[in-house]
Amino acid sequence: MRIQSIRRLRAAAVFCSVAALSACVPSARAPQPVPPVSRAPVPRPAPAPPVPTYVDRASERPAAGLVSEVNALWRGFPGTTGIAVRRIDGDWSFGERKDELFPQQSVSKTWVTLTILDQIDQGKLRLSDPVTITVADLAVFHQPIRDRVIANGEITETVGSLIEQAITKSDNTANDALLWKAGGPDAVRDFISRKNLGAIRFGPGERLLQSRIAGLQWSQEMAIGRRFYAARAELPTEQRREALYAYLRDPMDGASPQAIVDALAKLARGELLSPASTQLMLSTMSRTSSGPNRLKAGVPGGWNFLHKTGTGQDLGGISTGYNDIGIMTAPDGTRYAVAVMLGDTTASIPERMRLMQAVSRAVARYHGV
């Protein structure tokens, strides 16, 4: 009996201990939701004010003073004068009689060389290609190459050397040799058309152009010495005047000043030729030795200038086709294309030069205004 009582007491003690321990262990319950934390909204930063964009107003329109000054120069100059100015790195151009056709004379050498360089870009020609020139190829008027041809009977030049002589020295025979190497006048006209150069004509070549202006029929013997001048002097003055005035009314090699500055802008922007040919053309024009007292003499120090001149025939105190076209580059790199073309004038050579100098000087003075 006693032993059983002890066992019951032990069992009761164990039961109480387990019950006590069970009371200390929490029962498994579903987790209670955590109340949300209240947060103040984070303010977004205000948008930054727009950065002001610099607008070069001078690239949008020419300075009123420049337009007024060029107009005054044009009005005060005797004869038929065309002037055009274009900002190449902007959106403006202006001028006087800028859309009329003026005789180009040697300005047209520009299009012959561009045609040759375009054919080089197409792989049709190379600068190193040889060109043989004989006495039968000689032209008229200014042709420094002539003496070497006559002394040797014939000479061989490269396309590259002929470009240098045609542009920098305005050599008529060098230019004609390039013209026929390119395929003749039709090849140049095709280039002008394909490149959309506008109101630019190309004539029949130096010999035929100059003889027609003088009222002569071309004969190759006129290329020697001063025989062209002698044959022209034998013509009646009225016959010469009629031929010259017919040329001025409807020039076979006519171009508008506006078309010329637009073409120079396309050249400078690399829109006509490959980069290599563009650089060659521009660097060659920078070495032009003719007309140092025309536009070039009005370009201030620190500016770069490249150009091509043209000079026509005279009769009875009237000079024709006295031109200069070029690209002026300011120290900050801004470029302007300028064309001054004197269709006919009674002004002296110094007066013509002063007009051209005044135009380029005005362009520089109003740069950035």
Side-chain angles (χ1 to χ4, degrees), residues 215-272:
L216 289 167
Q217 290 290 325
W218 175 255
S219 172
Q220 189 56 32
E221 65 180 14
M222 294 178 186
I224 307 301
R226 296 188 62 82
R227 294 179 186 175
F228 181 91
Y229 296 92
R232 188 177 65 177
E234 292 176 0
L235 292 177
T237 301
E238 188 56 37
Q239 183 177 338
R240 284 195 59 194
R241 183 180 293 111
E242 183 179 337
L244 182 62
Y245 286 3
Y247 168 65
L248 293 174
R249 286 192 300 269
D250 190 19
M252 292 171 279
D253 64 338
S256 74
Q258 183 66 57
I260 287 176
V261 296
D262 289 347
L264 290 177
K266 287 183 177 182
L267 170 64
R269 292 196 297 257
E271 297 171 7
L272 299 182

Side-chain angles (χ1 to χ4, degrees), residues 268-354:
R269 292 196 297 257
E271 297 171 7
L272 299 182
L273 303 170
S274 69
S277 291
T278 298
Q279 180 57 38
L280 175 61
M281 184 65 182
L282 295 176
S283 64
T284 303
M285 292 177 71
S286 72
R287 295 189 294 276
T288 293
S289 59
S290 60
N293 294 315
R294 299 188 193 186
L295 286 172
K296 185 175 183 178
V299 178
W303 287 59
N304 292 322
F305 185 66
L306 54 92
H307 67 134
K308 184 69 199 78
T309 58
T311 305
Q313 299 185 43
D314 298 345
L315 177 63
I318 297 176
S319 297
T320 65
Y322 195 88
N323 310 317
D324 201 5
I325 69 167
I327 296 173
M328 300 171 55
T329 303
D332 65 5
T334 303
R335 300 169 294 180
Y336 300 90
V338 184
V340 179
M341 308 183 76
L342 311 183
D344 61 81
T345 183
T346 57
S348 67
I349 290 177
E351 288 173 319
R352 297 175 226 165
M353 292 176 174
R354 283 195 291 271

Side-chain angles (χ1 to χ4, degrees), residues 160-203:
S161 70
L162 289 173
I163 288 174
E164 183 74 16
Q165 294 172 78
I167 296 297
T168 67
K169 294 180 169 53
S170 206
D171 191 304
N172 288 339
T173 291
N175 186 68
D176 265 3
L178 288 173
L179 172 62
W180 296 108
K181 185 69 173 177
D186 284 343
V188 179
R189 294 167 189 146
D190 176 68
F191 172 83
I192 292 169
S193 176
R194 284 189 294 107
K195 299 298 183 176
N196 297 315
L197 299 188
I200 297 175
R201 293 177 176 176
F202 188 79

Side-chain angles (χ1 to χ4, degrees), residues 16-288:
C16 290
S17 297
V18 171
L21 288 172
S22 298
C24 295
V25 178
S27 62
R29 286 183 285 179
Q32 296 300 312
V34 179
V37 178
S38 175
R39 297 185 182 182
V42 179
R44 294 183 179 180
V51 178
T53 302
Y54 172 70
V55 178
D56 182 4
R57 296 298 180 190
S59 71
E60 298 177 347
R61 58 184 177 272
L66 173 60
V67 176
S68 176
E69 187 166 330
V70 169
N71 176 264
L73 291 169
W74 175 76
R75 287 182 177 278
F77 192 80
T80 308
T81 306
I83 301 174
V85 179
R86 179 186 181 93
R87 176 160 165 161
I88 295 173
D89 308 293
D91 300 318
W92 61 255
S93 66
F94 75 96
E96 304 293 346
R97 302 186 80 155
K98 61 187 180 68
D99 297 314
E100 297 181 25
L101 294 178
F102 286 80
Q104 293 184 78
Q105 293 295 316
S106 286
V107 164
S108 65
K109 290 181 172 72
T110 306
W111 322 122
V112 175
T113 294
L114 289 176
T115 300
I116 286 284
L117 292 175
D118 181 57
Q119 293 186 6
I120 289 173
D121 289 343
Q122 297 177 51
K124 297 178 180 179
L125 294 175
R126 296 174 299 175
L127 288 171
S128 60
D129 284 348
V131 181
T132 299
I133 301 173
T134 70
V135 175
D137 300 311
L138 293 176
V140 67
F141 295 149
H142 188 67
Q143 45 182 336
I145 205 172
R146 177 177 57 189
D147 290 344
R148 288 195 292 122
V149 175
I150 293 174
N152 295 280
E154 68 176 43
I155 62 172
T156 298
E157 298 283 325
T158 65
V159 167
S161 70
L162 289 173
I163 288 174
E164 183 74 16
Q165 294 172 78
I167 296 297
T168 67
K169 294 180 169 53
S170 206
D171 191 304
N172 288 339
T173 291
N175 186 68
D176 265 3
L178 288 173
L179 172 62
W180 296 108
K181 185 69 173 177
D186 284 343
V188 179
R189 294 167 189 146
D190 176 68
F191 172 83
I192 292 169
S193 176
R194 284 189 294 107
K195 299 298 183 176
N196 297 315
L197 299 188
I200 297 175
R201 293 177 176 176
F202 188 79
E206 289 292 343
R207 290 174 287 189
L208 292 180
L209 176 67
Q210 301 303 341
S211 57
R212 290 178 187 176
I213 293 171
L216 289 167
Q217 290 290 325
W218 175 255
S219 172
Q220 189 56 32
E221 65 180 14
M222 294 178 186
I224 307 301
R226 296 188 62 82
R227 294 179 186 175
F228 181 91
Y229 296 92
R232 188 177 65 177
E234 292 176 0
L235 292 177
T237 301
E238 188 56 37
Q239 183 177 338
R240 284 195 59 194
R241 183 180 293 111
E242 183 179 337
L244 182 62
Y245 286 3
Y247 168 65
L248 293 174
R249 286 192 300 269
D250 190 19
M252 292 171 279
D253 64 338
S256 74
Q258 183 66 57
I260 287 176
V261 296
D262 289 347
L264 290 177
K266 287 183 177 182
L267 170 64
R269 292 196 297 257
E271 297 171 7
L272 299 182
L273 303 170
S274 69
S277 291
T278 298
Q279 180 57 38
L280 175 61
M281 184 65 182
L282 295 176
S283 64
T284 303
M285 292 177 71
S286 72
R287 295 189 294 276
T288 293

